Amino acid sequence: MKKYLKYSLPLITLVAFYACSNDDSKPEETVEPVKEAKIGIKLASEFTVQNYDVVAIAPEVTIENANGKTESYQWSTKITGKDGIAKDSIIGDNKTLLFITPKAAEYVVDLKVKIDKIEKEASTKVTVSESGKTYTAKAVTLIDFLPAPAYNIDNYSTKEEAFEAAKQSLQDGGSVALGAFGGYIVTAFDHTVINVHGKRDFTVQMGAGNNTIKFSPVSIAVAYDANKNGKADENEWYEIAGSEYNKSTTVKNYELTYRKPNPTATPVAGALSWQYDTEYLSWTDNKNGTGKITKTLNRRRVNYYPEWQGDSYTLKGTKIAIPVKDVSDGAGTLFNVGTFAWGYGGIADPSIDISWAVDKDGKKVHLPGVDFVKVYVPTFAAVGANDMLTALFEEVSDLHFKAAK
């Protein structure tokens, strides 16, 4: 036993020595401290622009140690309210601010860039001068007009005659009948209607309804003249996505083709007394749908089809389902017609926020304002003895204009 201990003790000591040596040879692990995000901003000290024109304020922003996190932007300036007190007002949340205002003055514009709790601020001055032009609140310049077939359209021999009549009606404060689905009118402002952050910007007024049909909603598309060529180019149009835009019953990219009625055809009466000709006007669509528009007894002498059009023509847009219920026990003489909540003309509140604009894929777009407005009928519904559901356009008006004067 003593002999065993004699040889084992040095061995244990040797093993322990090497074990300690191996532990001591391992480098200590070091934990790198988490670096805070750093934000750098370079922003020109001053910009100049005329009222109702747009100036792009594009800062150079550098960010370090973001660790995959996305920064946010907030632009603001002080706005003096009716109480005479100047308060910070948010005017944008994109990296580039498209600054536009109706009032000539000097504005201090502040930018705040934020990542988590890290913030960086910068400021610039925008000097806005008077353009010397006189503007009006309404979009009175008629750009284009084409009604869909309906009993109440004004019929003329040529499109030029129809266009001039519509133009004169708008100038006189009257209305223009757009007909059934797809009928449209395009008007232009003499200034850019400003897309004010968090507020509604313009309103679309339609002709008043009656006891049977209180509302007749219309859809809206807008265009900002980005290249300043005075035209609403095809790639500048965006649809206002209202309350019905994403519903399953809404049909995007709908096309409906109307065919000219045969004026010598014998009317085909229906079972109800008001159904003067159930075969009057045929239509087809791009969803394999077909049908006929019935001419009613009260309008039997009226030509529903625009005389200046050829044998057929096609109108396009987003088709929206509208609730229509016969409340005359099947007689087709009295209907309850629904309406839409927001984002359309011809409804209880026809005011529009330009920020509701979307592109052809339904993605939101940021516009500094709009110069052109297209109003079109998105519904295709028959209301019995009251014919088709139609719309009467009256005006488009800038909601901010009075505040700017």
Side-chain angles (χ1 to χ4, degrees), residues 54-72:
V54 174
V55 59
I57 304 177
E60 182 181 331
V61 179
T62 57
I63 297 174
E64 298 178 8
N65 308 320
N67 298 318
K69 295 176 181 176
T70 303
E71 73 276 14
S72 63

Side-chain angles (χ1 to χ4, degrees), residues 181 251 253-259 282-291 313-316 319 380:
F181 174 84
V251 183
N253 302 312
Y254 187 72
E255 299 181 12
L256 198 151
T257 299
Y258 298 98
R259 305 197 181 283
S282 63
W283 59 266
T284 58
D285 65 19
N286 61 341
K287 305 296 179 182
N288 297 318
T290 61
Y313 70 111
T314 301
L315 294 173
K316 305 175 183 180
K319 182 185 175 187
F380 191 53

Side-chain angles (χ1 to χ4, degrees), residues 96-283:
T96 298
L97 174 67
L98 300 177
F99 185 87
I100 179 173
T101 181
K103 187 177 180 180
E106 287 189 352
Y107 298 85
V108 175
V109 178
D110 300 314
L111 168 63
K112 182 186 293 183
V113 184
K114 184 177 181 180
I115 297 179
D116 285 342
K117 298 180 180 180
I118 307 300
E119 293 183 0
K120 185 75 173 181
E121 297 181 357
S123 296
T124 187
K125 183 175 74 173
V126 182
T127 302
V128 181
S129 60
E130 289 282 359
S131 67
K133 299 176 182 178
T134 301
Y135 301 110
T136 56
K138 298 179 183 179
V140 296
T141 302
L142 182 61
I143 302 298
D144 197 6
F145 164 63
L146 180 59
Y151 69 93
N152 60 348
I153 65 170
D154 294 321
N155 232 317
Y156 296 91
S157 300
T158 67
K159 183 174 182 178
E160 289 73 24
E161 289 180 358
F163 187 91
E164 287 302 317
K167 181 179 177 181
Q168 189 62 52
S169 181
L170 293 181
Q171 291 176 349
D172 295 341
S175 60
V176 178
L178 302 183
F181 174 84
Y184 68 84
I185 191 168
V186 180
T187 59
F189 285 93
D190 57 13
H191 64 283
T192 300
V193 178
I194 299 170
N195 183 4
V196 176
H197 188 83
K199 293 185 177 181
R200 299 191 181 188
D201 307 298
F202 66 90
T203 185
V204 177
Q205 298 291 344
M206 305 299 293
N210 51 44
N211 292 333
T212 302
I213 305 169
K214 189 175 182 181
F215 299 110
S216 185
V218 287
S219 286
I220 298 156
V222 295
Y224 167 62
D225 189 11
N227 58 14
K228 300 302 177 184
N229 66 352
K231 301 177 182 178
D233 297 317
E234 191 63 32
N235 63 349
E236 292 177 335
W237 280 109
Y238 300 97
E239 186 163 2
I240 295 297
S243 58
E244 313 303 297
Y245 184 79
N246 290 312
K247 289 189 175 180
S248 60
T249 52
T250 296
V251 183
K252 311 284 177 41
N253 302 312
Y254 187 72
E255 299 181 12
L256 198 151
T257 299
Y258 298 98
R259 305 197 181 283
K260 191 172 188 176
N262 181 358
T264 63
T266 301
V268 179
L272 301 174
S273 60
W274 56 265
Q275 294 176 321
Y276 176 73
D277 186 0
T278 58
E279 300 287 320
Y280 173 61
L281 193 155
S282 63
W283 59 266

